[in-house]
Amino acid sequence: MATPLKVFYSCAKCPAYCCTYPQIPISKSDIRRLAKGFGISEEKARKRFTKKGEEKGTRVLRHRDDHIFETACTFLDPETRGCTVYEFRPSPCRAYPGTARCGYYDFLANERNRQEDPELVITAWVADV
Ligand code: SF4
Ligand code: SF4
């Protein structure tokens, strides 16, 4: 899906909730891109950065502990909340959210507005699926 021209969310003002999704699927070409970016073999990148997904035969991004959410993608900078592999990030990260709105950001922005706290962070939120 092409990125919409106008979007109603700001990743720069968000603690990167989407990077905490536990099952971000990683394809062979994503692993290839990561391996190239780090200058290591695909096998090493596969083992180092991904683990078995819940769905049989899939690989997902590894997590590590996070001080805001319980865990987050191993590539998320815990302080800046930015992606440390932005140039060679996996395809699901490039496509997300794929619409003009981000559900988490809508909720966060509403709560920040309602509670008059622009720094507020919502750690428990369930997407409407
Ligand atoms: S949750 Fe939404 S606003 Fe936050 S970083 Fe992800 S896409 Fe951006
Ligand atoms: S690779 Fe980057 S954009 Fe993708 S989940 Fe990890 S930190 Fe977020």
Side-chain angles (χ1 to χ4, degrees):
M1 185 184 293
T3 306
L5 289 179
K6 184 169 168 57
V7 296
F8 299 90
Y9 55 88
S10 170
C11 299
K13 294 180 185 166
C14 174
Y17 181 78
C18 57
C19 300
T20 70
Y21 293 167
Q23 297 285 310
I24 299 177
I26 299 305
S27 66
K28 281 186 182 158
S29 60
D30 291 326
I31 292 174
R32 199 173 308 128
R33 196 183 306 113
L34 283 167
K36 203 171 167 198
F38 280 91
I40 58 177
S41 71
E42 288 177 34
E43 186 50 25
K44 208 173 253 183
R46 184 176 166 278
K47 279 191 184 147
R48 193 181 291 175
F49 306 134
T50 73
K51 62 180 184 178
K52 273 185 190 166
E54 280 172 5
E55 207 172 301
K56 196 167 177 249
T58 61
R59 305 291 296 179
V60 298
L61 283 172
R62 283 188 185 276
H63 272 208
R64 62 179 175 198
D65 290 348
D66 185 63
H67 67 101
I68 295 181
F69 303 101
E70 253 172 52
T71 67
C73 170
T74 190
F75 294 127
L76 183 69
D77 183 311
E79 301 311 321
T80 67
R81 312 308 289 176
C83 178
T84 57
V85 295
Y86 193 79
E87 296 76 21
F88 40 98
R89 69 197 185 287
S91 43
C93 311
R94 290 164 189 269
Y96 193 84
T99 57
R101 304 204 84 97
C102 165
Y104 173 80
Y105 192 80
D106 277 349
F107 186 66
L108 180 68
N110 278 339
E111 283 304 304
R112 281 178 173 171
N113 198 30
R114 199 175 66 81
Q115 299 187 34
E116 298 179 355
D117 179 359
E119 305 297 321
L120 181 76
V121 168
I122 306 286
T123 54
W125 179 76
V126 179
D128 291 330
V129 284

